[in-house]
Amino acid sequence: MEPRGWLPLLLRLGLICLLGAPSEPRLRVFVVPHSHMDVGWLHTVQESMQAYVTNVYNTVVEELTLEKKRRFIAVEQEYFRLWWDGVASDNPGDVTWPFLSAHHAKVRQLVSEGRLEFVLGGQVMHDEAVTHFDDQILQLTEGHGFLYETFGIRPQFSWQVDPFGASATTPTLFALAGFNAHVISRINYNLKEAMQDNQQLQFVWRGSRSLSAQQEIFTHVLDKFGYCSEGFYWDGEPIFPHPPENGWYPSMQFPVTWERLQSFVEAVLYNVWVRAAWFWTPHVLWPWGCDRQFFNASLQFANMDRVLEQVNKFAYQHGVSMEYATLGGYFRAVHAHQLSWPVRDQRDFLPYSSDMHHAWTGFYASRSGLKALARRASALLYAGESMFTRHVLLAPHPHLDPAWGLQQLQQLRWAVSEVQHHDAITGTHALEVGDMFVEHLSSGMQGVHTLMASIIQDRSPAQSGPEPGGRLAVVYNPLAWTVTTIITLTVDFPNVSITDESGHPVPAQVQRSKEVPSAYDLHVLTTIPGLSYRHYSIHPSRRPQEDTLEPVTSLASSRQFGRRLRRRGGLVGGSLVPVENDCYTVFLDKDTNLMHSIWERWSNQTVQVTQSFMEYHAKSDFDQGPISDNYVFRPSGRAKPAWEAVRMEIVAGPLVTEIRQEFYREVDDREPTFAIYSRLAHRPQSSDGELLCHRIEQEYRVGPLELNREAILRTSTDLNTGRVLYSDNNGYQMQRRPYRNYTNNIIAQNYYPMVQSAFIQDRRSRLVLLSEQAHGVSSQGNGQVEVMLHRRLWNNDKWAVENDLTLNDSSVVHPVLWLLLGPWTLTSGLRQRSGLALQHRPVVMLREMNETARRGSGFKLQEAVTLPSSIHLQILSIPGWKYSSNHTEHLQTLQKGLDHCHHYHYRHHHLHHLTFVMVPHLQGLGSGCSPLPCSVLQSVLQGLGSVVSVEERSLTGTWDVRKMHRWTWSTRDPPRHRECVCPCVCGCVNVCAHVCSRPHPPPMSR
Ligand SMILES: [Zn+2]
């Protein structure tokens, strides 16, 4: 929007007159210079560095150094760190700090004077709808660790100004990270308007159901002008891939000359008065900047200086003063006003609609394959972290160089952090940018796989063995509980013998693979204590089972049910086939080949459950009105069945029964477009199998889709749910989602993100869906829940086509859901544990047998860690930061001039500096509290060596919580809600332990 458009000239002049006689300035305007730099959107990270990011930091640092009154806030640490370690470290230093580059010296100065302020401080500005809170913590920790290590500072304000909707997880996490205030922007358009009118854009947000002040945060919603100050950019638009040599960019604003000065001043003043009416205090936050701004900061500041100077010259006449400020400067002024603020409860701001036709609910399922990869990478990282930590601290590691191991983890931490960006995991980026995310994740995963193989190698040195042709499977359980589950391997022979580390046969089942005709799925039942390993030897069996005493795995039997056409009405349920385990009986209808109902043993209840693939046909003609795209979901009508025929096969064995339903788009298609592979496990004779028994595991096959189709799996039941759905915020807590009767766009506006779980229920029973990755979820009918699994879109929006942002995703995806059914008393406990079991499945590493392993020898047992079932070990890692946990000591070290020798020593001292966070998940996060028992800490720590000291740290590890004093914001709530519940733990406890590991020989470098 051009400033001239803000108000006709006459009106503007009138306004200035009305402002009246000279008085003290009534309004204080905080102009906060910033540049919104997406970590991958239309261009890759490297292209962005080249085209503008490098110049943003180069020129901003120069301009701030030149003029003391100027300020800037820096947000995305991935970019800042690339600049800091790259270009900024090159140019020579000065006399004061000869060992620092000139840029490094200047930045240190600006940071120490508070003129350059880091806000948010994560690697990226993470999405809030489809990210898991584990990954949010990771990406914040990566950025915060760097800032603390480098500058001794800790960000205190957030800046979540572009994510598409706001989650209630964020206030909780940011409070625990030590933030004093939180900024969001994209919330439902008419809610924002109402909040403006009622001066409710600022409130204290109690994101967690727990009412502890420890987890609430003062929140500021940017008004409708958002984070952009249109008409006030003088540096134009960046040019990709290289900056132009003549320094001339498109869309550069005319400079502020004497003739134009007055119109700029009037425009800014009008805007200020409009905004001021929406806020309680006489302070206006005026974000100055937008996407990709300040790459030519001298033009920006030179012009804005003139506007500010002119406004301030007449401050007494029009009652407005303007100053450059950081975000902290603004919040300090608001805080000093000492008002009592309204309180918002744990409700989130999802979904986000930018107007009545644009519900941003499509991105919950855009690029489903990337969403899956992001979570797999995160799970692998989680496993790699604890495996590495325990190995380095506990065991001799003759071949493993810990510094190299840390590097591998570091690379994956960066890749997983990067993909949390609000244009990454959301699927709202250009095609080549998606390739970059995949490449970073894949090479990070490759590195961690190599690290894991090295750890296994270290634990069981290679020996020449006599048994070629077989394989060794090492299985690691990354959870700190004993897990009983079935792992699946692929083998190319049907007669298999499998034995454990003591040479005993292991329960297993082999069956023809569902997708590769020449291969076989080998299901192996395993029970693994927390954070420990099992080893299995797998051999082709020499003779058929009858001829030998050698233990041979059972071969599953198969029953085929030919294609059935999709019925249009008529009798169903006439002939049912039961498939059962100890917890459920699933009834399949032979007349339709679809699921008919499920009987749950514990409550002796039968619920009708049927599942079908359907598709929404997307609007795609841009000239005919709003369309479905990467962001927005805009169906042309109700969902329609997406298949004409379905065939079924039931593969039954002693461990698992698998129901294979394949759906054909046309009656005589050769290949199915959709499939459901459901598994029921048969519980072993031990109590450990409770979770395994109480789930129906489903894997799907979806795709390739036709153009402009959005595919859902609709599960319909006879539960009387009144269309009330529950879905999670970031795997952290549940939100109640009643169906809302919007006048417009009703289907899309009733879609919500599902990151880890969703459920529907009535008095009798609850149907829980657990997911491995993010999807969209909705309940469009009574007793129904539908999950959007995949989208393929094409549109004729010129801008989208030119930028390769059209979501023509022709891939086949294989998402996984686990179904739990039963009364809430049963499923509420199972839901959280099962969700974690799905998220952190055991990691299987295979080695060829010809180079290794005489059966049962050479493996070093590792002490297991078993926590109480109500506690989840959130993370166990060696962060590798080079800072002291004592803040004063750390600052002194930084001030001493970062002597390199000292630094080196420092790093070694702190290599064994652990962070782990525990969440008492199962007592209901945020729904109640209980102190973290000391015994829990002990049981984890005793698996690590001799503990020297333990201290509680903030969520991202940079604060000693005893020293972290967040601002208190007075609220209009009765005081009973404000009681401090310390030392009760309602969220995460982040504990750093200094550990002396058991003595072992020094590592050999690789
Ligand atoms: Zn953005």
Side-chain angles (χ1 to χ4, degrees):
M1 196 185 308
E2 292 298 299
R4 279 147 209 83
W6 281 349
L7 204 64
L9 182 66
L10 277 176
L11 223 160
R12 267 186 275 147
L13 293 173
L15 184 84
I16 302 274
C17 295
L18 278 177
L19 297 177
S23 62
E24 280 286 309
R26 279 168 287 160
L27 281 183
R28 204 173 148 196
V29 182
F30 296 78
V31 176
V32 177
H34 76 99
S35 182
H36 181 71
M37 305 195 277
D38 288 312
V39 184
W41 178 38
L42 302 179
H43 299 279
T44 64
V45 165
Q46 206 191 355
E47 287 168 344
S48 304
M49 286 299 295
Q50 212 163 307
Y52 72 97
V53 176
T54 302
N55 278 339
V56 170
Y57 286 116
N58 281 344
T59 63
V60 162
V61 167
E62 286 309 313
E63 291 307 303
L64 261 54
T65 307
L66 282 175
E67 192 61 70
K68 275 224 174 258
K69 65 186 177 205
R70 294 171 179 166
R71 301 284 183 275
F72 194 77
I73 57 168
V75 188
E76 300 84 2
Q77 289 308 302
E78 176 164 339
Y79 281 138
F80 182 79
R81 289 169 78 174
L82 286 171
W83 175 77
W84 179 260
D85 293 335
V87 171
S89 58
D90 290 345
N91 54 0
D94 64 4
V95 192
T96 338
W97 280 329
F99 45 86
L100 291 181
S101 79
H103 274 319
H104 282 192
K106 284 175 183 168
V107 169
R108 280 184 195 288
Q109 186 71 28
L110 293 171
V111 169
S112 69
E113 292 171 10
R115 293 156 60 199
L116 175 64
E117 182 175 78
F118 292 98
V119 297
L120 184 61
Q123 284 288 89
V124 298
M125 185 185 295
H126 65 253
D127 165 72
E128 299 197 15
V130 295
T131 49
H132 194 280
F133 83 104
D134 288 0
D135 301 326
Q136 299 179 351
I137 296 173
L138 171 76
Q139 81 89 13
L140 268 187
T141 303
E142 279 306 292
H144 284 195
F146 164 77
L147 287 172
Y148 190 60
E149 179 183 84
T150 313
F151 303 109
I153 55 155
R154 301 169 281 210
Q156 291 175 40
F157 308 96
S158 96
W159 187 250
Q160 288 288 95
V161 298
D162 201 27
F164 324 135
S167 161
T169 307
T170 324
T172 305
L173 295 191
F174 286 2
L176 294 171
F179 286 12
N180 288 315
H182 175 35
V183 179
I184 59 175
S185 182
R186 290 185 184 270
I187 64 168
N188 189 290
Y189 69 102
N190 52 22
L191 178 60
K192 183 178 273 197
E193 247 172 60
M195 288 167 88
Q196 284 177 175
D197 293 346
N198 301 318
Q199 293 188 316
Q200 285 174 338
L201 291 167
Q202 293 173 317
F203 48 86
V204 168
W205 195 357
R206 222 161 258 168
S208 166
R209 272 187 197 84
S210 136
L211 299 175
S212 149
Q214 196 196 358
Q215 296 181 16
E216 67 186 24
I217 195 163
F218 181 79
T219 303
H220 175 110
V221 184
L222 291 184
D223 55 53
K224 69 172 184 184
F225 296 108
Y227 62 83
C228 288
S229 53
E230 285 187 48
F232 288 82
Y233 326 127
W234 289 273
D235 51 3
E237 288 165 15
I239 292 180
F240 288 81
H242 298 287
E245 276 170 18
N246 61 7
W248 196 251
Y249 288 85
S251 303
M252 286 172 81
Q253 190 87 32
F254 287 117
V256 180
T257 55
W258 177 243
E259 299 79 52
R260 295 194 193 98
L261 181 57
Q262 198 52 27
S263 77
F264 276 106
V265 167
E266 286 167 18
V268 83
L269 284 177
Y270 173 68
N271 178 265
V272 161
W273 282 105
V274 168
R275 289 177 132 155
W278 298 327
F279 293 93
W280 269 21
T281 70
H283 309 108
V284 174
L285 175 62
W286 209 83
W288 176 36
C290 198
D291 292 28
R292 303 174 299 280
Q293 288 296 311
F294 283 88
F295 52 84
N296 197 340
S298 74
L299 277 182
Q300 288 276 77
F301 278 111
N303 284 289
M304 196 63 167
D305 283 355
R306 285 173 215 142
V307 177
L308 259 60
E309 201 179 302
Q310 184 71 7
V311 168
N312 289 333
K313 206 186 273 178
F314 298 99
Y316 287 94
Q317 275 81 8
H318 47 59
V320 176
S321 72
M322 285 185 102
E323 64 204 271
Y324 289 124
T326 61
L327 194 58
Y330 168 73
F331 280 123
R332 270 184 283 277
V334 174
H335 185 246
H337 229 70
Q338 297 194 328
L339 294 179
S340 271
W341 300 95
V343 171
R344 184 181 173 89
D345 63 13
Q346 75 282 357
R347 281 167 304 150
D348 62 7
F349 291 96
L350 290 164
Y352 163 58
S353 289
S354 49
D355 58 55
M356 71 166 78
H357 302 293
H358 291 86
W360 294 42
T361 55
F363 80 88
Y364 302 157
S366 295
R367 301 258 172 239
S368 184
L370 178 66
K371 285 179 164 69
L373 180 67
R375 286 282 285 280
R376 278 205 305 278
S378 164
L380 181 73
L381 177 63
Y382 178 85
E385 295 278 13
S386 67
M387 200 170 160
F388 174 73
T389 303
R390 299 239 303 156
H391 183 66
V392 166
L393 293 188
L394 280 178
H397 37 277
H399 304 289
L400 184 83
D401 173 7
W404 170 83
L406 209 48
Q407 247 171 30
Q408 309 311 304
L409 292 166
Q410 184 66 53
Q411 196 195 352
L412 189 55
R413 287 177 196 168
W414 269 52
V416 173
S417 297
E418 180 184 80
V419 81
Q420 309 309 316
H421 164 55
H422 58 269
D423 285 312
I425 195 165
T426 48
T428 55
H429 46 264
L431 202 56
E432 65 150 356
V433 177
D435 294 343
M436 175 198 74
F437 294 130
V438 171
E439 152 66 21
H440 290 174
L441 288 168
S442 307
S443 71
M445 290 170 84
Q446 182 58 46
V448 169
H449 278 302
T450 311
L451 169 63
M452 288 175 157
S454 307
I455 292 173
I456 301 302
Q457 181 76 17
D458 247 16
R459 290 169 44 79
S460 53
Q463 306 164 13
S464 53
E467 302 191 49
R471 281 188 191 163
L472 178 72
V474 181
V475 185
Y476 176 68
N477 172 17
L479 287 170
W481 297 317
T482 300
V483 165
T484 293
T485 193
I486 289 168
I487 53 166
T488 303
L489 308 168
T490 303
V491 290
D492 44 16
F493 35 82
N495 296 321
V496 187
S497 151
I498 174 161
T499 50
D500 67 10
E501 49 283 82
S502 334
H504 295 126
V506 176
Q509 168 184 329
V510 76
Q511 62 196 47
R512 190 178 52 76
S513 165
K514 59 189 184 293
E515 300 223 313
V516 187
S518 59
Y520 296 86
D521 291 337
L522 173 65
H523 297 302
V524 182
L525 179 71
T526 179
T527 294
I528 323 175
L531 305 186
S532 59
Y533 302 85
R534 297 296 308 264
H535 300 77
Y536 299 108
S537 304
I538 304 154
H539 307 276
S541 177
R542 288 173 201 90
R543 277 164 290 172
Q545 199 165 6
E546 301 81 47
D547 304 348
T548 171
L549 292 176
E550 187 183 1
V552 173
T553 302
S554 317
L555 195 60
S557 66
S558 155
R559 276 176 80 188
Q560 304 277 347
F561 301 82
R563 289 190 193 195
R564 299 282 185 274
L565 300 187
R566 184 164 59 80
R567 284 187 168 248
R568 293 177 173 88
L571 179 77
V572 290
S575 177
L576 299 179
V577 188
V579 171
E580 61 180 17
N581 72 358
D582 284 354
C583 299
Y584 299 117
T585 302
V586 174
F587 292 97
L588 299 148
D589 189 334
K590 276 209 287 197
D591 295 329
T592 60
N593 281 348
L594 298 178
M595 190 186 283
H596 175 272
S597 51
I598 302 172
W599 174 69
E600 194 275 309
R601 178 182 294 271
W602 191 76
S603 62
N604 191 20
Q605 297 264 8
T606 300
V607 177
Q608 285 184 17
V609 181
T610 188
Q611 294 182 299
S612 177
F613 290 100
M614 304 182 83
E615 284 174 338
Y616 288 101
H617 293 212
K619 290 197 175 180
S620 62
D621 187 351
F622 191 67
D623 303 324
Q624 302 286 311
I627 54 168
S628 253
D629 63 16
N630 300 50
Y631 308 85
V632 170
F633 176 36
R634 186 73 191 185
S636 62
R638 303 206 159 274
K640 298 177 181 138
W643 51 277
E644 289 299 330
V646 57
R647 67 171 285 277
M648 181 166 72
E649 180 184 2
I650 297 175
V651 183
L655 277 188
V656 179
T657 302
E658 186 170 278
I659 306 155
R660 300 172 173 180
Q661 293 163 291
E662 295 180 332
F663 296 73
Y664 299 85
R665 190 159 32 211
E666 300 298 336
V667 177
D668 44 10
D669 274 1
R670 284 175 60 120
E671 290 291 318
T673 304
F674 306 94
I676 307 176
Y677 304 109
S678 308
R679 285 182 196 150
L680 266 83
H682 304 290
R683 196 206 316 234
Q685 299 303 314
S686 76
S687 58
D688 289 335
E690 191 197 5
L691 296 187
L692 181 62
C693 179
H694 273 108
R695 66 186 181 231
I696 299 165
E697 298 186 10
Q698 294 196 324
E699 184 190 329
Y700 312 95
R701 176 206 151 96
V702 184
L705 301 181
E706 292 179 346
L707 269 186
N708 294 315
R709 297 286 184 271
E710 317 203 20
I712 60 163
L713 174 80
R714 180 174 286 173
T715 304
S716 305
T717 71
D718 62 349
L719 297 176
N720 186 20
T721 62
R723 291 195 285 191
V724 176
L725 170 75
Y726 294 78
S727 73
D728 66 331
N729 270 168
N730 319 101
Y732 180 74
Q733 63 188 0
M734 300 306 285
Q735 295 275 347
R736 186 173 184 271
R737 316 287 198 187
Y739 190 86
R740 297 192 192 281
N741 281 309
Y742 298 97
T743 44
N744 243 301
N745 211 7
I746 190 165
I747 295 172
Q749 291 202 71
N750 276 294
Y751 252 85
Y752 296 92
M754 168 172 69
V755 174
Q756 191 160 31
S757 65
F759 62 80
I760 54 172
Q761 63 182 4
D762 68 3
R763 282 190 186 162
R764 289 181 298 153
S765 204
R766 175 186 284 184
L767 175 70
V768 180
L769 307 182
L770 297 172
S771 71
E772 204 179 24
Q773 63 170 96
H775 301 285
V777 66
S778 185
S779 177
Q780 299 279 342
N782 189 29
Q784 280 183 359
V785 56
E786 64 187 48
V787 179
M788 188 171 286
L789 298 174
H790 202 12
R791 316 176 76 212
R792 183 178 181 188
L793 304 172
W794 181 262
N795 64 59
N796 54 355
D797 172 9
K798 196 161 166 273
W799 177 84
V801 173
E802 278 172 3
N803 286 295
D804 216 351
L805 199 65
T806 48
L807 205 65
N808 184 8
D809 183 350
S810 57
S811 62
V812 177
V813 295
H814 300 269
V816 170
L817 292 179
W818 287 359
L819 273 53
L820 278 54
L821 183 74
W824 70 268
T825 43
L826 174 75
T827 47
S828 57
L830 291 175
R831 183 178 64 80
Q832 289 175 318
R833 279 174 70 90
S834 297
L836 288 161
L838 174 57
Q839 186 182 0
H840 298 299
R841 289 194 273 189
V843 178
V844 181
M845 291 154 282
L846 283 175
R847 284 169 72 181
E848 294 303 319
M849 201 77 104
N850 54 6
E851 63 174 39
T852 184
R854 280 193 297 271
R855 189 181 289 172
S857 69
F859 302 121
K860 288 169 194 70
L861 289 175
Q862 190 157 47
E863 222 173 314
V865 173
T866 309
L867 298 186
S869 63
S870 59
I871 308 278
H872 165 54
L873 178 65
Q874 181 72 17
I875 187 154
L876 173 60
S877 76
I878 298 175
W881 301 118
K882 305 160 209 160
Y883 58 73
S884 163
S885 64
N886 180 316
H887 185 60
T888 318
E889 193 185 304
H890 176 51
L891 291 186
Q892 281 165 355
T893 311
L894 283 171
Q895 269 179 356
K896 266 182 213 156
L898 300 130
D899 171 328
H900 284 288
C901 295
H902 193 116
H903 214 156
Y904 184 72
H905 168 74
Y906 214 39
R907 165 186 153 143
H908 268 249
H909 179 63
H910 289 283
L911 187 64
H912 297 164
H913 177 160
L914 317 175
T915 303
F916 45 95
V917 183
M918 291 177 202
V919 181
H921 245 286
L922 308 167
Q923 291 161 4
L925 267 180
S927 61
C929 309
S930 68
L932 185 73
C934 282
S935 57
V936 169
L937 264 182
Q938 277 165 1
S939 62
V940 176
L941 295 175
Q942 78 189 156
L944 294 171
S946 319
V947 178
V948 177
S949 67
V950 173
E951 68 185 58
E952 192 180 346
R953 305 284 293 182
S954 61
L955 190 71
T956 57
T958 53
W959 287 94
D960 174 344
V961 290
R962 292 167 305 178
K963 309 269 168 62
M964 185 173 87
H965 302 297
R966 298 173 58 230
W967 298 355
T968 28
W969 296 81
S970 168
T971 65
R972 297 180 205 160
D973 234 28
R976 65 188 171 84
H977 289 313
R978 310 261 316 149
E979 284 164 13
C980 176
V981 286
C982 302
C984 168
V985 175
C986 302
C988 307
V989 188
N990 186 354
V991 187
C992 288
H994 289 237
V995 177
C996 286
S997 53
R998 287 168 193 161
H1000 45 69
M1004 281 159 51
S1005 56
R1006 289 178 67 83

